[in-house]
Amino acid sequence: MSDVYLNEKFIGTIKNPFNFINEIKEERRKGKLAKELNVLYDENSDEVYLDFSKGRARRPLILVRDGKSLVTEEIKKELKDGKIKWSGLVERGIIEYLDASEEENSLVALNEDELTKDHTHLEVGKIVILGLTTAHVPFANFGQSPRLNRGSKTQKQALGLYSANFLVRMDTDSNILHYPQTPIVRTFMHDLTNYDQHPAGQNIIIALMSYEGYNMQDSIIINKGSVERGFARSTFFRPYVSEELRYSGGLVDEICIPDKDIKGYKSEENYKLLEEDGITYPEAEIAGEEVIIGKTSPPRFLGELEEFSIAANVRRESSSMIKHGEIGKVDAVMITENEEGNKLVQVRIRDQRIPEIGDKFASRHGQKGVIGSIVPETDMPFTSSGVIPDLIFSPHSLPSRMTVGHLLEILSGKIGSLAGRFIDGTAFDAEDEGDLRKELLSLGFREDGTEKLYNGVTGEEYKVNIFIGNMYYMKLKHMVANKLHARASGRIQLLTRQPIEGRSKGGGLRLGEMEKDCFVAHGASLLLKERFDSDKTLLYLCEECGMLAIVDKYRNRKFCPKCGSNVEITPIELSYAFKLLLDELKAMCIYPQLKLKSRYR
Amino acid sequence: MIESYKGKIPDLLIEEFEKISKEDNLTKIQKEAVLKALEKRYDSYKVNPGEAVGIVTAESFGEPGTQMTLKVFHFAGVSELNVTVGLPRLIEIFDARKEASTPSMEIYLKKPYNKDIKKAKKLAALIKEVKLRELSNEFLINIIKGHIEISLNKRNMRDLGIKDDLMINSLKNKFKKTIVRKSAGGNIIIKPEGETILKDIYKLKEKVKETFIRGVEGITQVLPIKQNNEFVILTMGSNLKEVIKLDLVDETRTISNNIFEVASVFGIEAARESVVYEAKKVIEDQGLDVDVRHILFIADLMCSSGVVKGVTRSGVTSEKESVLARASFETPLKHLVNAALSGEEDFLNSVVENVILNQPVPLGTGLPGLVATMKKNVK
């Protein structure tokens, strides 16, 4: 007797579990039981589980009877003629959905020709071994698996048309590609996911060659002409939000141009973009440290301070400033109310991003790289028919990575653009390479995809034929404009007097321990000292006791708190961090004594 | 003429030069020119004053070290000897661990033996430690009679050429308070003297299993291999002191990979050589290239005090003069407090201290000072 559970609840026992589950499956296939029902017989615990609860991941499989797929030639013909669709196959019990538990009782074949009598199901296609994004990689079965992983990872970072209503949305940090295209070389998954509706790349001409060494180590060279025609141009959007909050005691925030006498008033220059309502106008040019939404807040701790300070009831400044280092234009201003009925202001900033040196690009095969040089169109190599590549890719990126799909995509992309058709590059099911080559030959090109190219500067013919073709390229979200970072002087930490950290705060870049070692190894001793001068301080030392003395600048008096003013007090230059170390030593009852001697003796 | 170059060029180079000049019948002028060029060349290889040799050495090991973690060389069951290699071994050498994680030896043989694989194999078998466990099938405790019965593995015994007399003798030597005899069935019976409880017999059984019968103690595996036209025995486990006592072993070349063992048997100079040899072996095994002078430098540093000291806070680093330099390495509190207790003074002569104080480090451009006579009154 085996126990039977329905949706994890015990409902009874059954004598012959095998017959029972087979009967259930048959009834379900006939349509007498719900298609959502899945059944599992666990032989170890002798229990039958029936389940039609929601939230289970299920996947479709073709049924197999006596070692033969139920998708027969007749059905294939019907499918071709459009007489039957997917839903019809499910209805007829040819395809069924299994959940993880029912799979335990099944034997699934990946290929039709490996079917045996024991098999119960057949996969719908070989592509199901790949995930959603990996299935978007054309000719994926020609590549190495780690490269496929990287290829699907880079596709997720590609800029494109993520949503058609982006103009009315206020997504944090979004990017829109200006002229997105649907790929010429596509997979079956592009149709399934409506890729045409939200493409994320462009079909470009790519040549596999080196050019003055500017595409070393995975960097790429792009054509300035292409950039000017709009290749890989994108817009970056960032919304800023401000809300009129209500506080206890009837006090509220106010969105306005802050008065000059409020606490924390910046400077008139910072507020110049604000209109009378305290909000910037659309299309306002933002060049740096400007306020976009002016706001004042009521003073903190009202009442307590009123007795002691006359300035206590002055309102505070709490405007929204543009993020450090960002520029752009005000794209849209939205004024509304939120759920609590507070006034809510959202201002969206837009910034056009034209490809520049350092922007990251990738093909769909895990071949990513940054722009090393943007070459004027006149200097780019060209073919005998006058075609100029948009991008020059280094051939050294290929042998060690073995991304054959990359090459096949270039080849088939060339055919696709010449013949004016899409090429199917679905993994395991792609168009045959031999046929593609023949087609290219019939189109009047060399079948291996190479062409004679001419040096764009000298006009000389290159001695070798160069592989050139079309390929789908993606601009990735990592752009130098978001990463560029330099600082001459700026804010410092209160405790250590060293520069603060972080790009967004305008901090410094740390010259760490290993970098220091590098300076030392080169013997650049004085340069190293200069680097570490960021926290240098002038201290006065009592030579009597070797501790820090006090300098009273008002009375122009130097003295040691221990030895008095009748001692030798000498100025010394040290890092402030070391002064802190001395202080900490003193706090642990260690007496650090500094003894001075002349440097020249 | 050559005499005048002695001291300027190493003797070894001069010797070689003399040999070559004789072969080629160089004239006096030619000799002079070659020597001059030689001196110039030799000088160009010398380290400049103010060169940061320490840090360059550290970086020369550090950089390939990072690569070693990435591509650990796997033998994947090919080698019978599984010796620690790569970064773990390098750390072991430079830290001067007392116990190597996989001690091993390279035993060189005296002349006729090193050419004949059969003889080398025979000797290897003699060196290999044999324990009673390997020569027996079963250890039975007879509760009623209160003894242990060892059924012998005749095949293994025949293979190793061990007679049961030897086993009985070694058992008798090791366990003085027992009666060891041969049973009628050819088994060995060992019985403790006097009254005993079962627990003691059980403990005895475990000890009996590990009885050392023949070979050199500690050497668990042997592997004779051909190396440069002669047969060498590689071992797992090491016992340098006992192995070099054996007649057929070439004690001038036999070494252990345990640096401390080498130091105690052959002395500190040998230990220094051993550090160099072992470190070089690791680096060459990994297909990396580190100049031997870096290794020599570390080996000198580790052995200069007369005992082997590791590059750790208790070893080489503890010898640093500067308190701040020691404190900046590891356990700063300990060093600062101890320095305060004894009133140590830091003269700021080295690199780290000066970086902490933000003063120029006395290296490279920071080394030369201004030499001038100052008037005494001017301050």
Side-chain angles (χ1 to χ4, degrees), chain A residues 136 155 181-183 186 189-201 472 474:
Chain A
H136 280 96
Q155 285 195 68
Q181 294 172 350
T182 192
R186 42 203 298 129
M189 199 51 84
H190 285 97
D191 301 321
L192 274 192
T193 53
N194 282 330
Y195 200 78
D196 296 2
Q197 306 296 312
H198 51 90
Y472 196 62
M474 302 174 293

mmCIF file with all atom_site columns, all heavy atoms in Angstrom, chain A residues 136 155 181-183 186 189-201 472 474:
data_model
loop_
_atom_site.group_PDB
_atom_site.id
_atom_site.type_symbol
_atom_site.label_atom_id
_atom_site.label_alt_id
_atom_site.label_comp_id
_atom_site.label_asym_id
_atom_site.label_entity_id
_atom_site.label_seq_id
_atom_site.pdbx_PDB_ins_code
_atom_site.Cartn_x
_atom_site.Cartn_y
_atom_site.Cartn_z
_atom_site.occupancy
_atom_site.B_iso_or_equiv
_atom_site.pdbx_formal_charge
_atom_site.auth_seq_id
_atom_site.auth_comp_id
_atom_site.auth_asym_id
_atom_site.auth_atom_id
_atom_site.pdbx_PDB_model_num
ATOM 1   N N   . HIS A 1 136 ? 20.601 33.294 -27.176 1.00 0.00 ? 136 HIS A N   1
ATOM 2   C CA  . HIS A 1 136 ? 20.670 34.406 -28.106 1.00 0.00 ? 136 HIS A CA  1
ATOM 3   C C   . HIS A 1 136 ? 22.016 34.489 -28.828 1.00 0.00 ? 136 HIS A C   1
ATOM 4   O O   . HIS A 1 136 ? 22.196 35.328 -29.691 1.00 0.00 ? 136 HIS A O   1
ATOM 5   C CB  . HIS A 1 136 ? 20.440 35.740 -27.365 1.00 0.00 ? 136 HIS A CB  1
ATOM 6   C CG  . HIS A 1 136 ? 19.008 36.035 -27.088 1.00 0.00 ? 136 HIS A CG  1
ATOM 7   N ND1 . HIS A 1 136 ? 18.412 35.733 -25.885 1.00 0.00 ? 136 HIS A ND1 1
ATOM 8   C CD2 . HIS A 1 136 ? 18.038 36.580 -27.853 1.00 0.00 ? 136 HIS A CD2 1
ATOM 9   C CE1 . HIS A 1 136 ? 17.150 36.098 -25.927 1.00 0.00 ? 136 HIS A CE1 1
ATOM 10  N NE2 . HIS A 1 136 ? 16.885 36.608 -27.097 1.00 0.00 ? 136 HIS A NE2 1
ATOM 11  N N   . GLN A 1 155 ? 25.687 40.347 -23.024 1.00 0.00 ? 155 GLN A N   1
ATOM 12  C CA  . GLN A 1 155 ? 24.424 40.755 -23.648 1.00 0.00 ? 155 GLN A CA  1
ATOM 13  C C   . GLN A 1 155 ? 23.518 41.465 -22.650 1.00 0.00 ? 155 GLN A C   1
ATOM 14  O O   . GLN A 1 155 ? 22.742 42.333 -23.015 1.00 0.00 ? 155 GLN A O   1
ATOM 15  C CB  . GLN A 1 155 ? 23.698 39.532 -24.212 1.00 0.00 ? 155 GLN A CB  1
ATOM 16  C CG  . GLN A 1 155 ? 24.318 39.026 -25.477 1.00 0.00 ? 155 GLN A CG  1
ATOM 17  C CD  . GLN A 1 155 ? 23.396 38.080 -26.199 1.00 0.00 ? 155 GLN A CD  1
ATOM 18  O OE1 . GLN A 1 155 ? 22.367 38.473 -26.708 1.00 0.00 ? 155 GLN A OE1 1
ATOM 19  N NE2 . GLN A 1 155 ? 23.786 36.836 -26.227 1.00 0.00 ? 155 GLN A NE2 1
ATOM 20  N N   . GLN A 1 181 ? 19.281 48.203 -33.894 1.00 0.00 ? 181 GLN A N   1
ATOM 21  C CA  . GLN A 1 181 ? 18.900 47.373 -35.040 1.00 0.00 ? 181 GLN A CA  1
ATOM 22  C C   . GLN A 1 181 ? 18.671 45.950 -34.582 1.00 0.00 ? 181 GLN A C   1
ATOM 23  O O   . GLN A 1 181 ? 19.242 45.517 -33.579 1.00 0.00 ? 181 GLN A O   1
ATOM 24  C CB  . GLN A 1 181 ? 20.021 47.382 -36.093 1.00 0.00 ? 181 GLN A CB  1
ATOM 25  C CG  . GLN A 1 181 ? 20.241 48.723 -36.734 1.00 0.00 ? 181 GLN A CG  1
ATOM 26  C CD  . GLN A 1 181 ? 21.473 48.727 -37.621 1.00 0.00 ? 181 GLN A CD  1
ATOM 27  O OE1 . GLN A 1 181 ? 22.261 47.792 -37.615 1.00 0.00 ? 181 GLN A OE1 1
ATOM 28  N NE2 . GLN A 1 181 ? 21.623 49.797 -38.372 1.00 0.00 ? 181 GLN A NE2 1
ATOM 29  N N   . THR A 1 182 ? 17.892 45.231 -35.321 1.00 0.00 ? 182 THR A N   1
ATOM 30  C CA  . THR A 1 182 ? 17.704 43.818 -35.016 1.00 0.00 ? 182 THR A CA  1
ATOM 31  C C   . THR A 1 182 ? 18.822 43.049 -35.730 1.00 0.00 ? 182 THR A C   1
ATOM 32  O O   . THR A 1 182 ? 19.241 43.433 -36.815 1.00 0.00 ? 182 THR A O   1
ATOM 33  C CB  . THR A 1 182 ? 16.302 43.361 -35.429 1.00 0.00 ? 182 THR A CB  1
ATOM 34  O OG1 . THR A 1 182 ? 16.076 42.082 -34.867 1.00 0.00 ? 182 THR A OG1 1
ATOM 35  C CG2 . THR A 1 182 ? 16.113 43.324 -36.927 1.00 0.00 ? 182 THR A CG2 1
ATOM 36  N N   . PRO A 1 183 ? 19.348 42.021 -35.124 1.00 0.00 ? 183 PRO A N   1
ATOM 37  C CA  . PRO A 1 183 ? 20.504 41.359 -35.728 1.00 0.00 ? 183 PRO A CA  1
ATOM 38  C C   . PRO A 1 183 ? 20.167 40.656 -37.035 1.00 0.00 ? 183 PRO A C   1
ATOM 39  O O   . PRO A 1 183 ? 19.082 40.090 -37.183 1.00 0.00 ? 183 PRO A O   1
ATOM 40  C CB  . PRO A 1 183 ? 20.951 40.367 -34.665 1.00 0.00 ? 183 PRO A CB  1
ATOM 41  C CG  . PRO A 1 183 ? 19.817 40.205 -33.761 1.00 0.00 ? 183 PRO A CG  1
ATOM 42  C CD  . PRO A 1 183 ? 19.043 41.463 -33.799 1.00 0.00 ? 183 PRO A CD  1
ATOM 43  N N   . ARG A 1 186 ? 20.653 35.727 -36.524 1.00 0.00 ? 186 ARG A N   1
ATOM 44  C CA  . ARG A 1 186 ? 19.809 35.617 -35.343 1.00 0.00 ? 186 ARG A CA  1
ATOM 45  C C   . ARG A 1 186 ? 19.601 34.166 -34.977 1.00 0.00 ? 186 ARG A C   1
ATOM 46  O O   . ARG A 1 186 ? 19.957 33.261 -35.726 1.00 0.00 ? 186 ARG A O   1
ATOM 47  C CB  . ARG A 1 186 ? 18.481 36.312 -35.576 1.00 0.00 ? 186 ARG A CB  1
ATOM 48  C CG  . ARG A 1 186 ? 17.887 36.069 -36.940 1.00 0.00 ? 186 ARG A CG  1
ATOM 49  C CD  . ARG A 1 186 ? 16.935 37.153 -37.344 1.00 0.00 ? 186 ARG A CD  1
ATOM 50  N NE  . ARG A 1 186 ? 15.814 37.222 -36.420 1.00 0.00 ? 186 ARG A NE  1
ATOM 51  C CZ  . ARG A 1 186 ? 15.417 38.358 -35.827 1.00 0.00 ? 186 ARG A CZ  1
ATOM 52  N NH1 . ARG A 1 186 ? 16.070 39.479 -36.065 1.00 0.00 ? 186 ARG A NH1 1
ATOM 53  N NH2 . ARG A 1 186 ? 14.397 38.372 -35.028 1.00 0.00 ? 186 ARG A NH2 1
ATOM 54  N N   . MET A 1 189 ? 15.711 32.073 -30.695 1.00 0.00 ? 189 MET A N   1
ATOM 55  C CA  . MET A 1 189 ? 15.285 32.760 -29.480 1.00 0.00 ? 189 MET A CA  1
ATOM 56  C C   . MET A 1 189 ? 14.975 34.235 -29.724 1.00 0.00 ? 189 MET A C   1
ATOM 57  O O   . MET A 1 189 ? 14.175 34.827 -29.010 1.00 0.00 ? 189 MET A O   1
ATOM 58  C CB  . MET A 1 189 ? 16.391 32.611 -28.426 1.00 0.00 ? 189 MET A CB  1
ATOM 59  C CG  . MET A 1 189 ? 15.980 32.841 -27.003 1.00 0.00 ? 189 MET A CG  1
ATOM 60  S SD  . MET A 1 189 ? 14.561 31.925 -26.476 1.00 0.00 ? 189 MET A SD  1
ATOM 61  C CE  . MET A 1 189 ? 15.277 30.366 -26.036 1.00 0.00 ? 189 MET A CE  1
ATOM 62  N N   . HIS A 1 190 ? 15.573 34.832 -30.758 1.00 0.00 ? 190 HIS A N   1
ATOM 63  C CA  . HIS A 1 190 ? 15.281 36.232 -31.031 1.00 0.00 ? 190 HIS A CA  1
ATOM 64  C C   . HIS A 1 190 ? 13.814 36.415 -31.405 1.00 0.00 ? 190 HIS A C   1
ATOM 65  O O   . HIS A 1 190 ? 13.205 37.422 -31.066 1.00 0.00 ? 190 HIS A O   1
ATOM 66  C CB  . HIS A 1 190 ? 16.171 36.749 -32.172 1.00 0.00 ? 190 HIS A CB  1
ATOM 67  C CG  . HIS A 1 190 ? 17.579 36.999 -31.767 1.00 0.00 ? 190 HIS A CG  1
ATOM 68  N ND1 . HIS A 1 190 ? 18.583 36.091 -31.972 1.00 0.00 ? 190 HIS A ND1 1
ATOM 69  C CD2 . HIS A 1 190 ? 18.154 38.051 -31.148 1.00 0.00 ? 190 HIS A CD2 1
ATOM 70  C CE1 . HIS A 1 190 ? 19.715 36.576 -31.497 1.00 0.00 ? 190 HIS A CE1 1
ATOM 71  N NE2 . HIS A 1 190 ? 19.484 37.766 -30.987 1.00 0.00 ? 190 HIS A NE2 1
ATOM 72  N N   . ASP A 1 191 ? 13.250 35.444 -32.108 1.00 0.00 ? 191 ASP A N   1
ATOM 73  C CA  . ASP A 1 191 ? 11.840 35.536 -32.470 1.00 0.00 ? 191 ASP A CA  1
ATOM 74  C C   . ASP A 1 191 ? 10.956 35.311 -31.253 1.00 0.00 ? 191 ASP A C   1
ATOM 75  O O   . ASP A 1 191 ? 9.955  35.982 -31.059 1.00 0.00 ? 191 ASP A O   1
ATOM 76  C CB  . ASP A 1 191 ? 11.504 34.504 -33.544 1.00 0.00 ? 191 ASP A CB  1
ATOM 77  C CG  . ASP A 1 191 ? 12.354 34.717 -34.791 1.00 0.00 ? 191 ASP A CG  1
ATOM 78  O OD1 . ASP A 1 191 ? 12.570 35.898 -35.131 1.00 0.00 ? 191 ASP A OD1 1
ATOM 79  O OD2 . ASP A 1 191 ? 12.805 33.737 -35.380 1.00 0.00 ? 191 ASP A OD2 1
ATOM 80  N N   . LEU A 1 192 ? 11.359 34.342 -30.427 1.00 0.00 ? 192 LEU A N   1
ATOM 81  C CA  . LEU A 1 192 ? 10.547 33.999 -29.262 1.00 0.00 ? 192 LEU A CA  1
ATOM 82  C C   . LEU A 1 192 ? 10.442 35.162 -28.286 1.00 0.00 ? 192 LEU A C   1
ATOM 83  O O   . LEU A 1 192 ? 9.403  35.362 -27.662 1.00 0.00 ? 192 LEU A O   1
ATOM 84  C CB  . LEU A 1 192 ? 11.154 32.805 -28.528 1.00 0.00 ? 192 LEU A CB  1
ATOM 85  C CG  . LEU A 1 192 ? 10.789 31.412 -28.989 1.00 0.00 ? 192 LEU A CG  1
ATOM 86  C CD1 . LEU A 1 192 ? 11.265 30.418 -27.962 1.00 0.00 ? 192 LEU A CD1 1
ATOM 87  C CD2 . LEU A 1 192 ? 9.288  31.284 -29.172 1.00 0.00 ? 192 LEU A CD2 1
ATOM 88  N N   . THR A 1 193 ? 11.532 35.890 -28.123 1.00 0.00 ? 193 THR A N   1
ATOM 89  C CA  . THR A 1 193 ? 11.548 36.933 -27.098 1.00 0.00 ? 193 THR A CA  1
ATOM 90  C C   . THR A 1 193 ? 11.201 38.309 -27.669 1.00 0.00 ? 193 THR A C   1
ATOM 91  O O   . THR A 1 193 ? 11.401 39.310 -26.992 1.00 0.00 ? 193 THR A O   1
ATOM 92  C CB  . THR A 1 193 ? 12.939 37.013 -26.441 1.00 0.00 ? 193 THR A CB  1
ATOM 93  O OG1 . THR A 1 193 ? 13.908 37.164 -27.471 1.00 0.00 ? 193 THR A OG1 1
ATOM 94  C CG2 . THR A 1 193 ? 13.248 35.784 -25.640 1.00 0.00 ? 193 THR A CG2 1
ATOM 95  N N   . ASN A 1 194 ? 10.702 38.355 -28.899 1.00 0.00 ? 194 ASN A N   1
ATOM 96  C CA  . ASN A 1 194 ? 10.370 39.622 -29.536 1.00 0.00 ? 194 ASN A CA  1
ATOM 97  C C   . ASN A 1 194 ? 11.558 40.571 -29.531 1.00 0.00 ? 194 ASN A C   1
ATOM 98  O O   . ASN A 1 194 ? 11.441 41.731 -29.155 1.00 0.00 ? 194 ASN A O   1
ATOM 99  C CB  . ASN A 1 194 ? 9.190  40.305 -28.838 1.00 0.00 ? 194 ASN A CB  1
ATOM 100 C CG  . ASN A 1 194 ? 7.890  39.668 -29.236 1.00 0.00 ? 194 ASN A CG  1
ATOM 101 O OD1 . ASN A 1 194 ? 7.768  39.161 -30.356 1.00 0.00 ? 194 ASN A OD1 1
ATOM 102 N ND2 . ASN A 1 194 ? 6.942  39.668 -28.328 1.00 0.00 ? 194 ASN A ND2 1
ATOM 103 N N   . TYR A 1 195 ? 12.694 40.053 -29.919 1.00 0.00 ? 195 TYR A N   1
ATOM 104 C CA  . TYR A 1 195 ? 13.918 40.844 -29.857 1.00 0.00 ? 195 TYR A CA  1
ATOM 105 C C   . TYR A 1 195 ? 13.812 42.083 -30.747 1.00 0.00 ? 195 TYR A C   1
ATOM 106 O O   . TYR A 1 195 ? 14.428 43.096 -30.469 1.00 0.00 ? 195 TYR A O   1
ATOM 107 C CB  . TYR A 1 195 ? 15.112 39.974 -30.277 1.00 0.00 ? 195 TYR A CB  1
ATOM 108 C CG  . TYR A 1 195 ? 16.440 40.496 -29.819 1.00 0.00 ? 195 TYR A CG  1
ATOM 109 C CD1 . TYR A 1 195 ? 16.847 40.316 -28.503 1.00 0.00 ? 195 TYR A CD1 1
ATOM 110 C CD2 . TYR A 1 195 ? 17.282 41.178 -30.675 1.00 0.00 ? 195 TYR A CD2 1
ATOM 111 C CE1 . TYR A 1 195 ? 18.065 40.783 -28.071 1.00 0.00 ? 195 TYR A CE1 1
ATOM 112 C CE2 . TYR A 1 195 ? 18.504 41.661 -30.248 1.00 0.00 ? 195 TYR A CE2 1
ATOM 113 C CZ  . TYR A 1 195 ? 18.886 41.457 -28.941 1.00 0.00 ? 195 TYR A CZ  1
ATOM 114 O OH  . TYR A 1 195 ? 20.095 41.934 -28.507 1.00 0.00 ? 195 TYR A OH  1
ATOM 115 N N   . ASP A 1 196 ? 13.021 41.982 -31.816 1.00 0.00 ? 196 ASP A N   1
ATOM 116 C CA  . ASP A 1 196 ? 12.850 43.135 -32.713 1.00 0.00 ? 196 ASP A CA  1
ATOM 117 C C   . ASP A 1 196 ? 12.264 44.324 -31.982 1.00 0.00 ? 196 ASP A C   1
ATOM 118 O O   . ASP A 1 196 ? 12.471 45.468 -32.373 1.00 0.00 ? 196 ASP A O   1
ATOM 119 C CB  . ASP A 1 196 ? 11.902 42.764 -33.869 1.00 0.00 ? 196 ASP A CB  1
ATOM 120 C CG  . ASP A 1 196 ? 12.485 41.670 -34.729 1.00 0.00 ? 196 ASP A CG  1
ATOM 121 O OD1 . ASP A 1 196 ? 13.583 41.204 -34.381 1.00 0.00 ? 196 ASP A OD1 1
ATOM 122 O OD2 . ASP A 1 196 ? 11.851 41.302 -35.717 1.00 0.00 ? 196 ASP A OD2 1
ATOM 123 N N   . GLN A 1 197 ? 11.490 44.040 -30.934 1.00 0.00 ? 197 GLN A N   1
ATOM 124 C CA  . GLN A 1 197 ? 10.832 45.116 -30.204 1.00 0.00 ? 197 GLN A CA  1
ATOM 125 C C   . GLN A 1 197 ? 11.799 45.824 -29.235 1.00 0.00 ? 197 GLN A C   1
ATOM 126 O O   . GLN A 1 197 ? 11.547 46.946 -28.836 1.00 0.00 ? 197 GLN A O   1
ATOM 127 C CB  . GLN A 1 197 ? 9.643  44.578 -29.405 1.00 0.00 ? 197 GLN A CB  1
ATOM 128 C CG  . GLN A 1 197 ? 8.648  43.784 -30.222 1.00 0.00 ? 197 GLN A CG  1
ATOM 129 C CD  . GLN A 1 197 ? 7.980  44.637 -31.269 1.00 0.00 ? 197 GLN A CD  1
ATOM 130 O OE1 . GLN A 1 197 ? 7.507  45.731 -30.968 1.00 0.00 ? 197 GLN A OE1 1
ATOM 131 N NE2 . GLN A 1 197 ? 7.951  44.171 -32.503 1.00 0.00 ? 197 GLN A NE2 1
ATOM 132 N N   . HIS A 1 198 ? 12.813 45.147 -28.822 1.00 0.00 ? 198 HIS A N   1
ATOM 133 C CA  . HIS A 1 198 ? 13.773 45.786 -27.901 1.00 0.00 ? 198 HIS A CA  1
ATOM 134 C C   . HIS A 1 198 ? 15.199 45.361 -28.229 1.00 0.00 ? 198 HIS A C   1
ATOM 135 O O   . HIS A 1 198 ? 15.875 44.692 -27.449 1.00 0.00 ? 198 HIS A O   1
ATOM 136 C CB  . HIS A 1 198 ? 13.434 45.473 -26.429 1.00 0.00 ? 198 HIS A CB  1
ATOM 137 C CG  . HIS A 1 198 ? 13.246 44.030 -26.155 1.00 0.00 ? 198 HIS A CG  1
ATOM 138 N ND1 . HIS A 1 198 ? 14.283 43.231 -25.792 1.00 0.00 ? 198 HIS A ND1 1
ATOM 139 C CD2 . HIS A 1 198 ? 12.166 43.256 -26.201 1.00 0.00 ? 198 HIS A CD2 1
ATOM 140 C CE1 . HIS A 1 198 ? 13.840 42.008 -25.629 1.00 0.00 ? 198 HIS A CE1 1
ATOM 141 N NE2 . HIS A 1 198 ? 12.556 41.991 -25.873 1.00 0.00 ? 198 HIS A NE2 1
ATOM 142 N N   . PRO A 1 199 ? 15.665 45.761 -29.401 1.00 0.00 ? 199 PRO A N   1
ATOM 143 C CA  . PRO A 1 199 ? 17.020 45.350 -29.785 1.00 0.00 ? 199 PRO A CA  1
ATOM 144 C C   . PRO A 1 199 ? 18.080 46.063 -28.943 1.00 0.00 ? 199 PRO A C   1
ATOM 145 O O   . PRO A 1 199 ? 17.793 47.077 -28.307 1.00 0.00 ? 199 PRO A O   1
ATOM 146 C CB  . PRO A 1 199 ? 17.114 45.767 -31.250 1.00 0.00 ? 199 PRO A CB  1
ATOM 147 C CG  . PRO A 1 199 ? 16.134 46.866 -31.398 1.00 0.00 ? 199 PRO A CG  1
ATOM 148 C CD  . PRO A 1 199 ? 15.061 46.649 -30.398 1.00 0.00 ? 199 PRO A CD  1
ATOM 149 N N   . ALA A 1 200 ? 19.285 45.514 -28.955 1.00 0.00 ? 200 ALA A N   1
ATOM 150 C CA  . ALA A 1 200 ? 20.348 46.091 -28.114 1.00 0.00 ? 200 ALA A CA  1
ATOM 151 C C   . ALA A 1 200 ? 21.681 46.075 -28.822 1.00 0.00 ? 200 ALA A C   1
ATOM 152 O O   . ALA A 1 200 ? 22.689 45.686 -28.250 1.00 0.00 ? 200 ALA A O   1
ATOM 153 C CB  . ALA A 1 200 ? 20.411 45.337 -26.794 1.00 0.00 ? 200 ALA A CB  1
ATOM 154 N N   . GLY A 1 201 ? 21.706 46.491 -30.069 1.00 0.00 ? 201 GLY A N   1
ATOM 155 C CA  . GLY A 1 201 ? 22.978 46.513 -30.765 1.00 0.00 ? 201 GLY A CA  1
ATOM 156 C C   . GLY A 1 201 ? 22.795 46.972 -32.190 1.00 0.00 ? 201 GLY A C   1
ATOM 157 O O   . GLY A 1 201 ? 21.702 47.368 -32.590 1.00 0.00 ? 201 GLY A O   1
ATOM 158 N N   . TYR A 1 472 ? 26.914 41.692 -35.484 1.00 0.00 ? 472 TYR A N   1
ATOM 159 C CA  . TYR A 1 472 ? 26.085 42.445 -34.542 1.00 0.00 ? 472 TYR A CA  1
ATOM 160 C C   . TYR A 1 472 ? 26.962 42.851 -33.367 1.00 0.00 ? 472 TYR A C   1
ATOM 161 O O   . TYR A 1 472 ? 27.535 42.000 -32.692 1.00 0.00 ? 472 TYR A O   1
ATOM 162 C CB  . TYR A 1 472 ? 24.939 41.555 -34.068 1.00 0.00 ? 472 TYR A CB  1
ATOM 163 C CG  . TYR A 1 472 ? 23.806 42.286 -33.402 1.00 0.00 ? 472 TYR A CG  1
ATOM 164 C CD1 . TYR A 1 472 ? 23.072 43.236 -34.095 1.00 0.00 ? 472 TYR A CD1 1
ATOM 165 C CD2 . TYR A 1 472 ? 23.443 42.003 -32.088 1.00 0.00 ? 472 TYR A CD2 1
ATOM 166 C CE1 . TYR A 1 472 ? 22.009 43.890 -33.504 1.00 0.00 ? 472 TYR A CE1 1
ATOM 167 C CE2 . TYR A 1 472 ? 22.379 42.647 -31.488 1.00 0.00 ? 472 TYR A CE2 1
ATOM 168 C CZ  . TYR A 1 472 ? 21.671 43.589 -32.200 1.00 0.00 ? 472 TYR A CZ  1
ATOM 169 O OH  . TYR A 1 472 ? 20.625 44.234 -31.612 1.00 0.00 ? 472 TYR A OH  1
ATOM 170 N N   . MET A 1 474 ? 27.520 45.231 -29.773 1.00 0.00 ? 474 MET A N   1
ATOM 171 C CA  . MET A 1 474 ? 26.769 45.861 -28.686 1.00 0.00 ? 474 MET A CA  1
ATOM 172 C C   . MET A 1 474 ? 27.643 46.869 -27.953 1.00 0.00 ? 474 MET A C   1
ATOM 173 O O   . MET A 1 474 ? 28.821 46.627 -27.719 1.00 0.00 ? 474 MET A O   1
ATOM 174 C CB  . MET A 1 474 ? 26.317 44.797 -27.685 1.00 0.00 ? 474 MET A CB  1
ATOM 175 C CG  . MET A 1 474 ? 25.461 43.723 -28.309 1.00 0.00 ? 474 MET A CG  1
ATOM 176 S SD  . MET A 1 474 ? 25.082 42.420 -27.164 1.00 0.00 ? 474 MET A SD  1
ATOM 177 C CE  . MET A 1 474 ? 26.671 41.679 -26.911 1.00 0.00 ? 474 MET A CE  1
#
